Amino acid sequence: MLGQECRTRSTHDFLYDNDNLYFFSYVQDTEILTDMIDKDGVYLTVDVTNTTDTYPQEGMYRLFMNVDGTLIFTAGSGGKWKTVDEQPEGIEYVVKTGRGYYMMEIAIPWNALGVAGPNVEQAMRVNVEISDRRSNELRKEAIPDTQSNQSWTWPEFHLVPSPEVGIETPIVDSNPEGPVEYYNLQGMRVENPAGGVYIRRQGNVVTKEMIK
C-alpha cells in the first residue's frame, strides 16, 4: 500500500495466465485531474529477466497508465527509457473513476514484454509509482527504498504456480448451460461486471475476460 507521501492511498495486485500479465490498481484520490500536462496515474515498471541494472536496459519496461484512459509504453535501451514507435498489440487497458477514487486494470501480453509466456522459475522485479497531479504541483511516490530507473532496488517478483493458471485448453463442462459467475481480481464476486478484467466461471470452466 502506498500513500504516505502523496496522501493518495493505493493498493495493487497481479494475476497471470498463458497469454497475459494482469495488473490492478486502486487509488484513493479526492482531486482527479486530467486537464494538465502531467496527469494523475500509475507507473508500472517491470524487469522481466531480472537484469538488476542501475539504468534502463533491454528486458525492462515502463508503462504509465493515465487516469484519462491513455497509455504510454516505454522500453529500456542503452540506459534510457524509449517510447516504442507503436504500442504492442493486444494490450487492453480500462479505467474507472468515481468520487474520490480511480481503478485501473491492464492486460499485458507476454510477447509485449519480450517473452513467449509466463516462467514460474524466472525471477522478475517490479516497481509501482503513483503520480499525484495537484492544481499547483506534481507529487510522485514509489515503493519505499526504490529508485525509478534502478531495477536492482525494486522488489523481486515471482509468478506463483497454480493449477488454475496456464490451462490452454478449457476443461469440458458437464453443464455448459450452468450459471455464469464473475469475480474481480481480488476474488470477490461481482454481480454486474463492467469496465475491467474479471474471472469468469461457468461450471468447471474458469477463464479471464476483459469487459469494456
Side-chain angles (χ1 to χ4, degrees), residues 5 12 39 51 54 63 92 103 122 129 152 158 162 164 166 171 182:
E5 298 292 334
H12 316 272
K39 301 178 177 65
T51 305
T54 302
L63 293 78
E92 297 190 70
M103 294 190 299
Q122 172 66 61
E129 184 176 13
W152 64 270
H158 294 264
S162 170
E164 293 186 1
I171 301 173
Y182 287 94

Side-chain angles (χ1 to χ4, degrees), residues 175-193:
N175 182 19
E177 301 300 326
V180 176
E181 298 175 345
Y182 287 94
Y183 298 84
N184 62 22
L185 299 186
Q186 287 68 53
M188 300 175 61
R189 187 171 177 178
V190 179
E191 293 295 334
N192 299 300

Side-chain angles (χ1 to χ4, degrees), residues 141-153:
E141 180 179 1
I143 295 173
D145 301 321
T146 63
Q147 299 294 323
S148 295
N149 293 333
Q150 302 175 12
S151 65
W152 64 270
T153 67

